[in-house]
């Protein structure tokens, strides 16, 4: 089972990964086309190569072009990134991270969101017993 890579990503690298996760697979030209304020084609290719070296992407040859795919499913990459964020900024405290998110004025949680969070909290309580 593949582990999510641990190397932190730059802003542009995160944008590229988002494009590839959204599309499932993409060529350098497709990535460049999907980016807002895109860098040059050669810069996109260089960034894709860096992401591959960091272990975030792999490529397959499709005729003369490389098609890039993520090495780890998005949900696993998300969990790994979130875990790293909680460790780095909240001393490993999930409660502090959740409290910070809920305290954000921009969180705009709907009643449905709050109900879902309540259910998740209940499930966590049951699992602890």
């Amino acid at each position: 089972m593949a582990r999510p890579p641990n190397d932190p990503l730059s802003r542009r690298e995160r944008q590229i990964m988002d494009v590839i996760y959204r599309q499932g697979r993409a060529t350098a030209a497709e990535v460049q086309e999907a980016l807002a304020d895109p860098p040059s084609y050669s810069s996109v290719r260089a960034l894709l190569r860096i992401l591959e070296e960091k272990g975030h992407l792999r490529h397959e040859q499709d005729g003369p072009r490389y098609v890039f795919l993520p090495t780890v499913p998005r949900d696993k990459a998300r969990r790994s990134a979130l875990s790293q964020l909680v460790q780095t900024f909240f001393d490993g405290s999930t409660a502090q991270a959740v409290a910070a998110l809920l305290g954000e004025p921009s969180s705009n949680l709907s009643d449905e969101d709050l109900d879902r969070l309540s259910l998740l909290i209940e499930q966590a309580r049951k699992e602890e017993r």
Side-chain angles (χ1 to χ4, degrees), residues 58-70:
R58 65 183 178 85
H59 73 269
E60 295 176 350
Q61 190 124 14
D62 181 17
R65 24 178 234 162
Y66 282 174
V67 178
F68 292 88
L69 303 97

Side-chain angles (χ1 to χ4, degrees), residues 37-51:
D37 188 30
S40 69
Y41 179 75
S42 61
S43 293
V44 170
R45 285 184 43 160
L47 287 163
L48 288 166
R49 190 172 358 93
I50 289 167
L51 285 165

Side-chain angles (χ1 to χ4, degrees), residues 18 21-22 35 46 54 57 70 87-88 104 106:
D18 188 46
Y21 276 124
R22 264 196 327 266
L35 291 172
K54 286 183 174 184
L57 295 176
Q87 287 299 321
T88 302
E104 274 297 307
S106 63

Side-chain angles (χ1 to χ4, degrees), residues 53-87:
E53 288 169 5
K54 286 183 174 184
H56 294 277
L57 295 176
R58 65 183 178 85
H59 73 269
E60 295 176 350
Q61 190 124 14
D62 181 17
R65 24 178 234 162
Y66 282 174
V67 178
F68 292 88
L69 303 97
T71 58
V72 176
R74 189 174 206 165
D75 63 322
K76 285 187 182 187
R78 253 188 211 138
R79 284 194 301 270
S80 176
L82 186 56
S83 176
Q84 188 174 6
L85 178 116
V86 169
Q87 287 299 321

